[in-house]
Amino acid sequence: MTGRDNALWLQFWRDRRTDFHQIAVNSLLAQFWPSLNMAHGSRVFVPLCGKSLDMLWLAEQGHQVIGVELSEVAVKAFFKENRLRPVRRRLGKFTLWRSGRLSILCGDYFALTAAELGQIDTVYDRAALTALPEDIRGQYVSQLRRIVPDTATILLLTAEDLELEPVSDETDDVSDEVIALYGKDFVIELSHVQRIDEADSQAFAAGEAGLYKVFHLSSKTPSQA
């Protein structure tokens, strides 16, 4: 990500222009997470996490959760709004905020190393990929491959504007971009496609408007590569 993009993201949080923040746990996370059959205590990585309430939900399922977020404003708000008292310490170029099963590394995702992140069992990407400019997404995935073990699975939620994306009943039509970015290293399963608009009043009010796709990615075996 460029310095310009970083500066813009930080300014969004300083100005409280955070319409992208969902005010409730993502309904698709609660619906599709159980299908991963993750063991109690599994370590879950949430890239570009903001102050997402999804992290609380994952911790409540018994998982160790670690996010990475550039904005200190967002990290501080997450712990304050959820009445958590984190312990902070420096870790390389990052500040690690930790409370119980919840940890957030405050700093630049693209500067993160595998050693700083530690062992990861699953990645939960709630529209982090599609929030990035298209020319940055390849770098995002390359960085993920560097810092996350090959054995980790990924639950990927993509979000697209309804005005820009035609709605199709073909739920097995995996987007070309996901194939291009992940297809070399992962088996890609498209689990669900959902349009959320004013007709779904509860989800719409929670800030979930858009066309959502849920993917389950698992690393290819040598015979599949």
Side-chain angles (χ1 to χ4, degrees):
M1 186 177 292
T2 66
R4 175 183 58 80
D5 293 321
N6 281 353
L8 183 62
W9 180 250
L10 293 171
Q11 195 63 47
F12 278 155
W13 283 100
R14 284 194 294 267
D15 295 344
R16 301 182 186 276
R17 289 183 288 161
T18 55
D19 292 344
F20 49 83
H21 171 67
Q22 294 184 0
I23 61 174
V25 173
N26 188 284
S27 57
L28 296 176
L29 169 63
Q31 182 178 350
F32 288 96
W33 184 263
S35 67
L36 300 183
N37 295 315
M38 299 306 301
H40 187 91
S42 295
R43 203 155 183 264
V44 182
F45 176 43
V46 185
L48 314 187
C49 63
K51 57 175 185 176
S52 173
L53 297 177
D54 294 353
M55 292 186 289
L56 282 178
W57 186 90
L58 288 165
E60 288 167 357
Q61 310 315 302
H63 302 301
Q64 299 290 331
V65 182
I66 182 164
V68 63
E69 170 54 45
L70 182 65
S71 170
E72 184 178 357
V73 173
V75 177
K76 187 179 297 185
F78 172 79
F79 287 99
K80 181 178 181 180
E81 291 171 9
N82 294 296
R83 296 188 175 94
L84 299 172
R85 298 194 176 191
V87 174
R88 288 178 288 176
R89 67 180 179 89
R90 291 297 299 175
L91 183 63
K93 297 179 180 179
F94 293 80
T95 301
L96 176 64
W97 300 55
R98 183 172 184 178
S99 176
R101 295 192 184 101
L102 289 160
S103 300
I104 299 180
L105 288 160
C106 186
D108 188 347
Y109 164 83
F110 291 96
L112 187 60
T113 67
E116 290 163 339
L117 181 59
Q119 174 62 32
I120 296 297
D121 299 298
T122 306
V123 178
Y124 171 55
D125 180 332
R126 190 204 63 79
L129 174 72
T130 46
L132 291 169
E134 290 185 14
D135 60 337
I136 301 296
R137 293 175 186 175
Q139 298 174 40
Y140 167 84
V141 174
S142 295
Q143 167 69 346
L144 192 67
R145 297 294 293 145
R146 283 192 290 269
I147 62 178
V148 172
D150 291 340
T151 53
T153 58
I154 301 175
L155 184 65
L156 170 65
L157 275 61
T158 62
E160 300 151 271
D161 292 337
L162 293 174
E163 296 82 5
L164 301 178
E165 185 71 16
V167 177
S168 170
D169 292 330
E170 296 296 325
T171 57
D172 59 349
D173 181 20
V174 181
S175 77
D176 291 342
E177 183 177 31
V178 171
I179 292 174
L181 292 172
Y182 294 97
K184 178 182 177 182
D185 299 311
F186 292 92
V187 176
I188 302 170
E189 176 187 350
L190 177 59
S191 303
H192 186 70
V193 177
Q194 182 173 352
R195 176 191 176 104
I196 297 177
D197 56 20
E198 292 91 335
D200 189 345
S201 58
Q202 184 175 357
F204 186 81
E208 295 183 22
L211 182 66
Y212 281 79
K213 296 176 184 177
V214 181
F215 299 93
H216 179 204
L217 311 181
S218 55
S219 293
K220 289 182 176 179
T221 63
S223 62
Q224 293 171 315

